[in-house]
Every structure is written in structure tokens, then in C-alpha cells.
Amino acid sequence: MAKKEKRSLKKNLTSVTQSSTSVQKVNLWFPTGFWRQHVWAGLILLVLPFLLYFKSLSFGYVLDDVIVYTENSYVKEGFSGIGKIFTTESFQGYFGEQKDLVEGGRYRPLSIASFAVEFGIFGQRPAISHFINILLYALTCVLLYRVLFLFFPLKKETKWNWLWSIPFIGALLFTLHPIHTEVVANVKGRDEIICLLASLGVIYFAFKYVASNKVIWTIMSALCLLIGLFGKENAITFIGVVPLSLYFFTKADFKKITIATLPLIGVFVLWFIIRWQVLGFAITSGREVTDLMNNPFTGMETGEKFATIFYTLGIYVKLLFFPHPLTHDYYPYHIPIMQWGDWQVLLSLFTYIVLGAISIWGLMRKNVFAYAILFYLFTLSITSNVPFTVGTFMNERFVYISSIGVCIALAYLMYNQIPKLLKSPIGTYIGISLVVLYSLGFTVKTVSRVPAWESALTLNSAAIKVSKNSARANTFMGTALFKEYQKEQDRERKEELINQAATYIFRALEIHPYYGSALTMKSGILAEQYKFNRDLDRLLNGFYEVLSIRTQDDYIDQYMTYLNGGRADVSTLINWYYKTGTMLADNKGRRDMAAKYFRMGLDIAPNNPQLRAALQRVQ
């Protein structure tokens, strides 16, 4: 009997020890073999991005891929160009020099370096570029699930109960969210993906430090932040997100949170010094950016500027909960100049006041909604245009990181709050139904949005349906049609394409008369239309309109030389040279350009007294 009691006691002690160990592991949130227990969650989140974005594997390079990849001279040097990429401004490999086109400059070397490595191994192959984007996005979704599991560990784990949990719902909604299509389907979006992937690592290792007390994890956290900053400067916001997350989801004291945060500040200082040395300035070059396409607030009053900003902030909230319609172009004036009296601006202001009030109310209570809001506000702050302008009114990729806050809020609402409020099984059914509804809606929208990124023509065709009042969208659409015109062989179809291109280019100039890219396209399109309509007056009047705005156009000079070769009526050309030269001299103060056109007129009419007198007047 005594032996049986001893065996029973030993068995009970073993059971208690195992149970205690299990509890300890859950409290530390780093159970042995986590992915063995959650292998299906990981596989689902790893495979879903490939199912959503597999079509992009056959897509080409579009939009800013030209700047960061296809026409970037440093990228085309392969491995040997990496040093230049890390020691120059991010646009220099494309322009050949540092131009400081946008406020604060751009220093995002890591994604461009990855393109150089890619080019060095595979050459320029868009399928490889898109595959890497999808893979990195899939890894981000998996890591997000792991991080959310640190925030919301299951009280009791079974084989399948992770399916109905805040971490999985939140990561699933993030994976499916249509607003991410710009980041994943556009090769240039790799900077955003790298930034978030590394930033999630910052949180993960900070939590690991708190759980284990090993300083090595603070070093790993800081290293991840440095990687994220080299990807894109948005990672800086995680210096605030980390202590916020530790405060909300651990029992770590102030000292421990401080120890976890200080190395991040140190890494930021290091990165900031590197960036300063590369760009030559700390925050801004001091050069005022007046190009409307790089500073959309040019010419606005302060009230108009901030009313417009709050209008865009309201659009972000709407798109994160209801992502339709989507476009890659929010340039002037798809986003109109707004006034504080506009109801949409006031609604957005009220929304953010409410969000701010909830976050303050929930801060001391460690309310999940408060954390989700603060995460959203922290990570959006740097691209909100409030502290400094970012080169455009808004972009869907600007809320790529911030969307995590919305996904957390939705997951918490569906999993916890609705069942809790209804206090019956029906609450859980409603929560599950909402998860299914959102997941299906997000999936359908994402799958339907991805094909837009196939080519310049498909992208701009999709954008112009939404961004009808954008000078940039109209110009890009006209340019895409012009390129199709150049490839087309059928004469009737060519005429149709060039006339369609003209419609969009002329519309762009109605919106923004001084848009350089549109003016350049207008000259070329007028010349191509002349091949079909032979309307010399229309051609020359169009050239005159272009020169009355930009005063110099090399293409026009070349084409006028072509016309001088006996290909147009001499008297009509002489009248144009005199009219244009006089306008440039008297109205624009460009006596040099006026003299050039008077001389071009004299080339075909050497004895014309009117042109001779005009030339003498400006010399």
C-alpha cells in the first residue's frame, strides 16, 4: 500500500511540475515548439499571399520601378553598385545626381540594394522581383501572427482553437486587405515590406527580452530597427510602438521598458548620422519645393492645407474599413483643395477627436481599442503630412503599416466585444460571420485589384476611372496610350490611339497648366496628330501655347527644323516665328529664345524685313 501511495505521489508531483512548466511557458509567451503547435496557422498565412498575388508573377515593371530598378544605374552594376546605393540619395542612381526633389530627401538604400543583388544573380527578370515581394509579404503576415500571439496568448491551447483567436483573425485580415495591393504588386513597394518585416522583429525581440531578461534580445531588437530604417524611415515610429506594446501587453516595469527602448534610440541616432552624411542635411535641404507634383500644398493657405490634410486622413479611415474605390494616384487634384467649412473635413476632424479621446481614456485601462488607435496614429504620423510634407496628398501604401491597428481593432471587436456584449452563443456566431464576411470581401477586392498592376496601360486605365481630376493620372494615361500608339501598325488604330492620348494630355493641362511632363507630351502628340490631319495652324498654335508656358522646348525646336526643310508653307512658318519670338521677348523676357526663333525664320526667308528688324531689336 505504501509503495502504491509513493508511486501515486510521484505521479502527481510530475504532473504538477509539467503543469507548472506549461503555465510558465504561456506566461513567457515563448513556448517550446510554437510553430509545431501553430503549423497550420503559419502555412495558411504563408500560402495565402501567393494565392492572392500569383498573377503578378507574370507582370512587368511599372510606375516608380523605373527609378529604383529598371533605369537605376547603380542597380544595373549588380553587386558592385551596392556601395554607391548605401552612400548616395535614393534617386541618384536614376538621375545621375542628387536633386532633392521632395521635402527631406530620400534615403532608402536596402530595397534598392536588394534589386542590385537580384540583378547581379538573375538579371532583370520581373517574375523574380514579384516573387520576392510576395515571399517577403508572406513572411510578414506569418511574423505578424507571432507578434499578435505575444499580445493575445490563448488561455488554453488546443490543436485548432487558434482559428478562432485575435492573433489569427488580425493576421488574416491584414493578409487579405486590398489596400496592400500597391505594396505587394508593385516591385517598388519592397521598401514598405522590408520596413514592416524588420519592425515586427523589433517588437518580437523586445518582448523576448522582457520574458527572458537577456540583453542579447535588446541588441537583436535594435538591429532589426536599423534594418527597418534602411528599408524606409517609417520604422522610426516603432521607437514609440515598442514601449507602448510592452506597457499594454506585459507587466514589465518602467525600468525594463526603458532598457528595451534605449538601444532603439541609439540605433536611430546612428542611422540619422549616416543619413545626414549621405544627404548632406539633417531634416531638409533648405531648398523650397515648388513643383506641384512633389509638393501638392504649393500655393495653398495654411487653413486650406490643414483642411485638405484632415480630409485625406478621413479617407484613410474609410479605406481601411471599406477599401473602395482604390487607386494609385492621389495627386492634384484628385484630392481637391478643401476648406474647413466642408462637412467631410469636419467629419474627419470629429472622427480623429473621438479616436484621440478613446485612446486617452483607454491608456490607463490598457484597453485594446486604445492600443489599436495609438498604433494606427503612431505609425501614420510620419506620412500624414502634419509634421512635414511627403510629396503627395496621400497614398494607399502610406497606411500599409498603420492597417495593423485597424486589423487588431476588428479582430478584437469580432472575437471579444460582440460575444461579450450579447452574452450568448449568437454573439460568437455574429462575430464569426463578420470575420467570414470581411475575409470574403477583402479577398474579392484584392483579387480584382491585382490585375491593375500588370502594365502601365492597365494601371493607368484603372486609375483614370477613379482619379479623373488628377493631372498626373491623366498624363500617365496619355503617355501609356502614346506608347501603344508607337507600337501599333494599323493606321486607323494609330490615329485612334493618338487622339485618345491627346484627350488625356490636354485634360491634364487643364488641371495643371504648368505640368512639365504634360507639356512635353503635348508637343509630341501635336506633331504625331499632324501626320494624320495635316492641320499646320493647329500644330503651330499648339506649339505656341506650350512655349508661352515653358518658354523652351527642345522637341519643338527639332520639329520646327524638320518643317523648315520644305515640308510646310513658308509664309505660315514665318508668321509663327515672328509671333512666337515677339511673345517670348516681350511677355517672357526670353530675348535669347526670341532671337533663336527669329533666326530660324530667317533660315527660310533670309530677306524678310520684319524678322530682320525683330532680330536686331532683341540682340
Side-chain angles (χ1 to χ4, degrees):
M1 184 71 179
K3 289 183 179 180
K4 287 183 178 180
E5 288 178 352
K6 285 181 180 179
R7 282 197 296 269
S8 177
L9 179 61
K10 186 177 180 180
K11 186 176 180 181
N12 288 338
L13 283 171
T14 302
S15 176
V16 169
T17 302
Q18 291 173 344
S19 176
S20 175
T21 303
S22 176
V23 170
Q24 184 185 26
K25 286 175 181 174
V26 172
N27 287 338
L28 288 175
W29 303 328
F30 293 97
T32 302
F34 174 86
W35 288 113
R36 191 180 303 121
Q37 182 75 15
H38 297 266
V39 62
W40 286 108
L43 285 174
I44 290 171
L45 296 172
L46 192 65
V47 171
L48 266 179
F50 284 94
L51 296 177
L52 292 169
Y53 292 95
F54 79 93
K55 283 187 177 180
S56 69
L57 295 175
S58 63
F59 294 175
Y61 297 106
V62 296
L63 214 60
D64 290 341
D65 294 346
V66 171
I67 296 174
V68 299
Y69 195 156
T70 60
E71 295 185 22
N72 189 298
S73 61
Y74 299 158
V75 169
K76 291 185 175 182
E77 291 179 19
F79 289 95
S80 60
I82 293 175
K84 296 176 185 176
I85 291 168
F86 274 92
T87 54
T88 59
E89 198 256 1
S90 291
F91 293 163
Q92 187 163 320
Y94 174 73
F95 289 110
E97 61 180 337
Q98 184 172 326
K99 288 182 173 289
D100 299 327
L101 294 175
V102 290
E103 184 73 25
R106 291 292 180 268
Y107 182 61
R108 301 166 184 173
L110 194 53
S111 62
I112 301 176
S114 76
F115 298 141
V117 171
E118 192 182 304
F119 186 87
I121 298 173
F122 304 104
Q124 190 170 293
R125 296 177 60 185
I128 298 293
S129 302
H130 286 290
F131 176 82
I132 293 173
N133 266 29
I134 300 170
L135 177 61
L136 291 174
Y137 180 63
L139 293 174
T140 302
C141 298
V142 172
L143 184 54
L144 176 61
Y145 173 74
R146 185 67 185 92
V147 168
L148 291 181
F149 205 88
L150 305 182
F151 296 176
F152 308 101
L154 299 177
K155 293 179 181 178
K156 183 180 179 182
E157 287 196 56
T158 64
K159 188 174 182 180
W160 294 104
N161 70 333
W162 52 264
L163 267 170
W164 180 239
S165 68
I166 295 175
F168 185 72
I169 297 169
L172 178 67
L173 293 177
F174 178 86
T175 303
L176 300 175
H177 208 302
I179 211 167
H180 300 162
T181 51
E182 178 178 3
V183 170
V184 186
N186 183 200
V187 173
K188 185 267 176 193
R190 192 176 301 176
D191 56 354
E192 302 279 357
I193 301 174
I194 290 174
C195 177
L196 179 55
L197 182 58
S199 297
L200 290 173
V202 176
I203 299 177
Y204 176 79
F205 288 116
F207 269 72
K208 199 158 187 175
Y209 160 71
V210 168
S212 66
N213 235 10
K214 294 180 179 179
V215 177
I216 183 64
W217 301 124
T218 65
I219 297 173
M220 293 296 294
S221 181
L223 180 61
C224 283
L225 181 64
L226 185 61
I227 293 170
L229 288 168
F230 279 132
K232 193 174 182 182
E233 55 274 0
N234 298 43
I236 189 178
T237 59
F238 280 77
I239 297 175
V241 169
V242 165
L244 183 76
S245 303
L246 293 174
Y247 165 74
F248 267 86
F249 300 111
T250 74
K251 294 181 180 179
D253 57 21
F254 177 78
K255 179 181 178 181
K256 218 165 195 180
I257 294 175
T258 302
I259 292 173
T261 306
L262 282 176
L264 306 181
I265 297 173
V267 160
F268 163 71
V269 172
L270 172 63
W271 168 82
F272 187 80
I273 292 171
I274 294 172
R275 184 183 187 277
W276 190 344
Q277 291 299 310
V278 170
L279 298 183
F281 53 84
I283 303 297
T284 176
S285 65
R287 183 186 303 171
E288 184 181 3
V289 179
T290 57
D291 178 9
L292 190 66
M293 292 299 137
N294 290 314
N295 180 9
F297 303 104
T298 296
M300 284 193 195
E301 300 290 337
T302 301
E304 292 175 330
K305 174 181 176 179
F306 284 97
T308 304
I309 288 172
F310 266 92
Y311 172 69
T312 62
L313 293 175
I315 295 176
Y316 280 138
V317 173
K318 179 253 183 185
L319 290 177
L320 286 168
F321 285 97
F322 185 73
H324 180 81
L326 297 178
T327 177
H328 77 279
D329 194 300
Y330 291 90
Y331 282 78
Y333 286 105
H334 170 56
I335 299 294
I337 299 173
M338 304 299 288
Q339 306 292 336
W340 278 108
D342 192 290
W343 70 269
Q344 294 171 94
V345 177
L346 295 176
L347 177 61
S348 177
L349 177 63
F350 175 75
T351 299
Y352 278 85
I353 289 173
V354 171
L355 291 176
I358 294 172
S359 62
I360 293 170
W361 169 84
L363 189 61
M364 297 303 295
R365 297 168 176 80
K366 295 189 176 182
N367 178 271
V368 173
F369 286 126
Y371 173 80
I373 292 168
L374 288 169
F375 184 100
Y376 168 76
L377 294 175
F378 275 31
T379 53
L380 178 63
S381 61
I382 197 169
T383 54
S384 65
N385 277 313
V386 174
F388 44 78
T389 59
V390 294
T392 182
F393 286 126
M394 61 178 289
N395 262 319
E396 290 161 15
R397 65 178 183 272
F398 290 171
V399 285
Y400 171 64
I401 297 175
S402 307
S403 64
I404 291 175
V406 172
C407 292
I408 290 173
L410 285 172
Y412 184 66
L413 175 69
M414 296 167 183
Y415 172 82
N416 185 282
Q417 292 299 287
I418 292 176
K420 188 176 179 180
L421 286 172
L422 296 178
K423 296 179 181 179
S424 66
I426 194 171
T428 301
Y429 297 145
I430 291 174
I432 293 173
S433 299
L434 285 173
V435 171
V436 172
L437 185 63
Y438 255 97
S439 298
L440 289 175
F442 280 5
T443 299
V444 170
K445 184 62 179 177
T446 297
V447 170
S448 64
R449 175 65 179 156
V450 168
W453 292 90
E454 181 177 358
S455 65
L457 185 60
T458 58
L459 181 61
N460 292 302
S461 296
I464 202 65
K465 294 175 183 176
V466 179
S467 307
K468 296 178 181 179
N469 292 320
S470 164
R472 186 171 180 264
N474 277 281
T475 299
F476 279 26
M477 184 62 190
T479 303
L481 287 167
F482 185 80
K483 289 179 179 178
E484 291 298 308
Y485 160 82
Q486 291 176 313
K487 293 185 291 185
E488 182 61 51
Q489 298 299 316
D490 181 75
R491 181 177 173 81
E492 288 187 12
R493 177 60 180 157
K494 282 179 76 73
E495 185 175 10
E496 181 183 346
L497 284 169
I498 198 63
N499 289 335
Q500 287 177 356
T503 300
Y504 290 109
I505 295 300
F506 296 164
R507 173 58 182 149
L509 289 169
E510 287 178 13
I511 299 166
H512 180 26
Y514 299 95
Y515 191 9
S517 298
L519 287 168
T520 299
M521 286 301 304
K522 180 177 180 178
S523 301
I525 285 174
L526 286 169
E528 294 302 316
Q529 285 184 312
Y530 178 65
K531 293 178 180 178
F532 295 95
N533 59 36
R534 309 311 295 179
D535 189 338
L536 184 60
D537 287 334
R538 182 176 184 275
L539 172 69
L540 296 179
N541 286 337
F543 283 175
Y544 179 88
E545 290 169 0
V546 171
L547 290 170
S548 68
I549 295 173
R550 70 189 308 172
T551 72
Q552 184 171 351
D553 189 302
D554 292 340
Y555 180 82
I556 290 178
D557 294 349
Q558 294 170 12
Y559 203 82
M560 293 305 299
T561 300
Y562 164 79
L563 292 178
N564 274 10
R567 298 178 179 88
D569 179 66
V570 173
S571 62
T572 304
L573 293 179
I574 290 172
N575 290 336
W576 184 86
Y577 283 125
Y578 180 77
K579 174 184 175 184
T580 303
T582 301
M583 177 270 294
L584 289 169
D586 296 347
N587 299 342
K588 301 297 180 179
R590 292 299 306 269
R591 298 169 71 90
D592 57 332
M593 294 301 300
K596 181 174 73 172
Y597 286 121
F598 292 146
R599 289 192 189 99
M600 290 180 72
L602 288 169
D603 286 343
I604 56 174
N607 299 317
N608 186 282
Q610 192 177 38
L611 289 174
R612 282 187 173 278
L615 179 60
Q616 290 176 357
R617 182 168 59 88
V618 298
Q619 284 181 332

